Amino acid sequence: MHRAMTVGVVIPALNEAQSIGLVVGDLLALRNADETRIVDEVVVCDNGSTDATAQQAAKAGAQVVYEAQPGYGRACLAAIRALGPSDIVLFTDADHAFRAGQAVSLLNGISAGADLAIGSRTLGKRDRGALTRSQQAGNWVATTLIRLLWGQRATDLGPYRAIRGPALASLDMQDTAFGWTVEMQVKAVQQGLRTVEVPVDTRKRVGQSKISGTLRGAIGAGCGILGMIAKLRWQQRRKARNPLPAPPA
């Protein structure tokens, strides 16, 4: 990756004391060919943990912020607010399911000209049990809708992703829950940003998922994702029917 580009990492976390130290440590250990660090800053948002998530993240070298109200998107937004100026913002999960070294492929996608690089678990290798059937089915439905409604080929709503800092600001992210990832992908299409998919491998996560690991979480995530797709499509159609008046000459 081009060393002139600064990289900040956002990690939402809830009760991930077993794994968060590994995730942060692996990311901060990444080095360029000249031995300079690839990642400049890691911000972990503790989203109401009742274990030692915050302490383990700080011990590993992350800046820790707190967001008591639950919500994946809300935690991401809190971490982004605390992040210093970054040319590239990398998002990953706190459960050690992703390989830190493959962040380089995502960052290289941005360096090569993309605005948004999605880590596709569908295109990569997966350990047995790494993705539940509900996750695979939800991904298929959501990505099919993105292709049908916006003409954008997609294979995953993977949370392992990188985006240019200015592009992230232009998206004006709003979702506070499970619609966060699909909001980013659809808004990128709507704004004409260049999106690429990069294969990433997926390990079986450490501990139980708070989303796919429970029926309530899986249903909530599905509703949030489909609801966001419907909302963005409705907003787009309304804007097309009622365009803003042209500024006076």
Side-chain angles (χ1 to χ4, degrees), residues 126-191:
R126 300 194 301 270
D127 288 353
R128 185 178 181 87
L131 290 179
T132 65
R133 289 183 179 180
S134 64
Q135 283 178 297
Q136 295 178 58
N139 264 326
W140 182 84
V141 171
T143 55
T144 298
L145 286 172
I146 291 173
R147 177 174 57 82
L148 293 175
L149 295 175
W150 287 282
Q152 176 74 34
R153 179 185 178 273
T155 63
D156 196 6
L157 303 182
Y160 203 16
R161 52 182 57 199
I163 185 170
R164 291 185 187 275
L168 177 60
S170 75
L171 296 183
D172 187 27
M173 296 291 294
Q174 298 292 322
D175 191 76
T176 59
F178 301 121
W180 171 271
T181 55
V182 74
E183 179 189 8
M184 184 182 292
Q185 280 167 257
V186 170
K187 282 186 172 180
V189 176
Q190 291 175 325
Q191 292 192 15

Side-chain angles (χ1 to χ4, degrees), residues 76-135:
C76 288
L77 289 168
I80 289 169
R81 288 193 293 268
L83 191 67
S86 302
D87 296 312
I88 305 174
V89 180
L90 176 73
F91 293 85
T92 190
D93 282 348
D95 58 14
H96 206 236
F98 298 117
R99 302 182 186 278
Q102 292 186 330
V104 176
S105 297
L106 294 168
L107 300 174
N108 285 340
I110 302 298
S111 296
D115 298 297
L116 173 63
I118 305 293
S120 173
R121 298 164 294 184
T122 303
L123 299 178
K125 299 176 182 178
R126 300 194 301 270
D127 288 353
R128 185 178 181 87
L131 290 179
T132 65
R133 289 183 179 180
S134 64
Q135 283 178 297

